[in-house]
Amino acid sequence: MPPSHPPLVISHRDRNAQRISALDERAEALHLKRGMGIADARAMHPSIDIVEADPEADRRLLEGLADWCDRYTPLVALDGADGLYLDVTGCTHLFGGERAMLDDILARFFQQGFDVRAGLAATPGAAWAAARFCGDRIIPSGEEEALLAPLPLAALRIEPDIRASLESVGLRTAGAVMAAPRAPLARRFGASLLLRLDQALGRLDEAVSPRLPVAPLSVERHLAEPVVLTAEIERLVEMLAVTLKVDLERRGEGARMLALLLFRVDGAVSRIAVGTSRPLREPKLIQRLFHERLTALEQDIDAGYGFDLVRLSVLAAAAFDMQQADLTGETEDDGADIALFADRIRARLGDNAVLKAVAVESHLPERAVATIPFSEAPQRTTPPKKPDRKDAPPATIFPPERPIRLFRSPEPIEVPATEMPEGPPLHFRWRRALYRVTRVEGPERIAAEWWHEAMSDPVTSTRDYFRIEDADGRRYWLYRQGLYGNPQVPPRWFMHGVFA
């Protein structure tokens, strides 16, 4: 039975010419190769099917495969546009040994529809060469030179121009380069050639930079029967949190950021993260946070045929302060319930759903307070101390009165007349309504910080605040910006807040 589709060729633009970037097995059987021009390939075989390359889609696919490979090791790095590095040091025994692990990787990729090549060696360079030139091989430590000797120069991962220069002088294999004197090679072809050679042979260390940070603590559960329901996932989260609690107690820490990884049987991976306002290690509370997050993401998480691996990781931890309980078993930490409530709301609605006002060092009232996410706000661990009235300045013991509601931006008002040039207004118009002043307190002079405002003109940067009460008993906080006596820049009045 003939194949249902013609030979497939992937095309990409290279120096104003369309060339082959990838091709399937049927196209290879027609003696087509990567780098060949599309015009030449079509002239040789008019029946081939040509598809334009999509590098961004290929990148997303490779990153998805890297996520899936986290089931074997957290140290996964991308290798160009078509490869992955997995640092499996200390992980192979969890899968029955090196051969069993390699076979499991290849079998699972094949079930997902991928034709892959893999190599396992003591060095990244040797593993790269084994995967791309020798098929599925495991290279024992110390046999890297025997592996590389018969392979072409491309197995050394050197630049194409260096490879062409080596071939021009008769050095066509990695073994020929290894047999040549090192000093002439370095002088003629550069130090990068010897660097790659030494890395592949294990003479120099080569670090593999993982694409994601490695969690300091992780626990996981391999499932014989995949789970689909959210309730089953939450039950697994609580079971994993119990195991995680032991490690956190041993380290004297609590989790500040947790991640739940759900590995689907067909290769897709779902990452769900929650943050905590305080260090946390109680399994029930961790399960509550993930319950809120899973409820919010229920429509976005596709279980497919189920998840066969569930992992709970601590991405960030902090010292856990033990609280002394009284005879009833309750602690004096009144903020714990508020922190848990804020964490649950944030897990359901996002980090910006709960904000906290914090003081900022600024003279201007609109800059003296900022709202930041609740988890980033500093948490008070001890009750505030009362100021000593003997040594503390009067402004600390009796701070200036501030309005209940402070406007985000001061609103301009009209002041037709004042008692004196620098005095309070007799009446003012605000939001098209006229108010008659009956009582006044002030002024309180506030100026901006010299490093924020241009202090070359202190007249326009100075504010005189007044507490005003109108005929109906309503109280306002308004100020005059600038001083009288300057005809070019007359003073302006603004409403900044209300007391009641």
Side-chain angles (χ1 to χ4, degrees):
M1 183 176 179
S4 58
H5 62 84
L8 179 62
V9 170
I10 308 299
S11 169
H12 79 292
R13 180 169 293 276
D14 181 19
R15 297 179 182 178
N16 297 326
Q18 290 295 120
R19 299 187 180 277
I20 296 177
S21 63
L23 62 168
D24 64 2
E25 293 181 351
R26 296 191 61 216
E28 289 181 344
L30 299 177
H31 302 288
L32 301 179
K33 298 180 179 180
R34 290 187 179 184
M36 180 183 292
I38 292 296
D40 297 336
R42 189 183 294 276
M44 295 170 57
H45 304 283
S47 61
I48 61 174
D49 187 10
I50 302 175
V51 177
E52 185 68 23
D54 188 350
E56 185 61 30
D58 294 340
R59 186 74 175 184
R60 292 195 300 267
L61 174 62
L62 190 63
E63 291 179 348
L65 297 178
D67 285 339
W68 178 82
C69 287
D70 280 350
R71 65 169 53 233
Y72 298 103
T73 172
L75 300 175
V76 181
L78 302 181
D79 175 36
D82 59 352
L84 295 174
Y85 277 120
L86 277 68
D87 187 350
V88 297
T89 305
C91 302
T92 56
H93 69 281
L94 301 174
F95 301 89
E98 294 178 351
R99 173 48 62 182
M101 181 180 187
L102 194 62
D103 292 342
D104 183 71
I105 293 175
L106 296 175
R108 289 179 180 271
F109 269 117
F110 178 78
Q111 293 171 2
Q112 297 177 34
F114 295 99
D115 183 17
V116 299
R117 302 289 184 269
L120 197 153
T123 65
W128 188 93
R132 296 179 181 269
F133 294 93
C134 302
D136 310 325
R137 286 186 56 183
I138 298 177
I139 310 303
S141 179
E143 298 185 9
E144 293 83 9
E145 186 172 352
L147 164 75
L148 294 171
L151 299 182
L153 296 177
L156 295 178
R157 301 177 297 166
I158 56 180
E159 298 296 331
D161 54 344
I162 299 178
R163 186 167 65 244
S165 299
L166 289 168
E167 292 175 349
S168 66
V169 297
L171 302 177
R172 301 182 180 277
T173 64
V177 174
M178 289 186 287
R182 293 175 61 91
L185 288 176
R187 285 196 302 267
R188 183 166 183 178
F189 303 103
S192 61
L193 171 62
L194 299 182
L195 174 64
R196 284 301 193 186
L197 184 61
D198 291 341
Q199 287 177 341
L201 296 177
R203 298 169 183 168
L204 293 177
D205 292 334
E206 180 180 0
V208 175
S209 301
R211 53 187 294 268
L212 297 176
V214 180
L217 288 176
S218 291
V219 291
E220 62 183 35
R221 177 68 62 88
H222 291 263
L223 306 173
E225 293 293 334
V227 298
V228 178
L229 301 179
T230 303
E232 296 175 336
I233 297 175
E234 293 178 9
R235 186 163 55 251
L236 287 170
V237 169
E238 185 175 0
M239 294 172 59
L240 294 174
V242 172
T243 306
L244 203 60
K245 181 181 179 182
V246 178
D247 294 329
L248 289 172
E249 289 178 343
R250 175 174 49 82
R251 297 162 61 107
E253 296 177 339
R256 288 297 307 272
M257 179 69 70
L258 292 151
L260 178 66
L261 277 70
L262 305 174
F263 294 83
R264 216 166 63 183
V265 294
D266 61 352
V269 181
S270 297
R271 295 178 181 269
I272 305 170
V274 297
T276 63
S277 303
R278 298 185 175 189
L280 188 67
R281 62 189 184 197
E282 183 61 36
K284 275 290 184 183
L285 301 182
I286 294 176
Q287 187 269 339
R288 288 182 186 177
L289 294 183
F290 278 104
H291 167 76
E292 302 293 347
R293 193 62 183 152
L294 289 169
T295 302
L297 299 176
E298 188 173 3
Q299 303 298 327
D300 299 330
I301 298 178
D302 183 10
Y305 293 102
F307 304 104
D308 63 343
L309 174 61
V310 180
R311 178 183 299 162
L312 183 62
S313 302
V314 177
L315 301 182
F320 189 88
D321 296 329
M322 301 296 295
Q323 298 289 335
Q324 180 66 43
D326 55 18
L327 296 178
T328 63
E330 298 181 354
T331 63
E332 298 181 356
D333 190 0
D334 298 332
D337 294 338
I338 297 177
L340 178 60
F341 170 77
D343 291 340
R344 295 181 66 180
I345 296 298
R346 290 169 49 240
R348 177 72 70 95
L349 303 178
D351 289 339
N352 294 326
V354 181
L355 303 177
K356 185 175 182 179
V358 295
V360 179
E361 293 185 358
S362 178
H363 298 319
L364 297 182
E366 63 268 24
R367 295 179 181 170
V369 177
T371 55
I372 61 176
F374 189 86
S375 61
E376 300 177 7
Q379 303 294 328
R380 185 183 296 276
T381 57
T382 58
K385 297 182 179 180
K386 295 182 179 180
D388 189 355
R389 293 179 178 269
K390 295 181 179 179
D391 301 330
T396 305
I397 303 175
F398 305 103
E401 188 176 359
R402 291 293 181 256
I404 296 176
R405 180 188 176 191
L406 185 71
F407 298 155
R408 184 181 299 273
S409 299
E411 300 182 6
I413 61 176
E414 298 178 10
V415 177
T418 60
E419 293 182 355
M420 60 184 67
E422 305 296 337
L426 299 176
H427 50 271
F428 61 91
R429 187 179 299 276
W430 175 48
R431 295 180 179 178
R432 300 183 180 181
L434 185 63
Y435 299 86
R436 186 169 61 87
V437 177
T438 58
R439 290 190 177 93
V440 177
E441 293 180 352
E444 176 189 353
R445 178 159 292 183
I446 298 178
E449 301 85 0
W450 63 267
W451 58 88
H452 280 167
E453 298 290 342
M455 295 302 292
S456 59
D457 190 2
V459 174
T460 59
S461 61
T462 301
R463 299 179 181 180
D464 285 341
Y465 279 84
F466 296 88
R467 291 185 290 274
I468 301 294
E469 183 176 326
D470 66 2
D472 296 328
R474 293 184 291 264
R475 304 186 68 200
Y476 309 92
W477 202 43
L478 51 85
Y479 70 88
R480 182 190 67 246
Q481 182 174 352
L483 302 173
Y484 287 97
N486 187 353
Q488 297 181 354
V489 184
R492 296 182 299 168
W493 289 84
F494 294 89
M495 178 70 66
H496 207 165
V498 294
F499 289 92

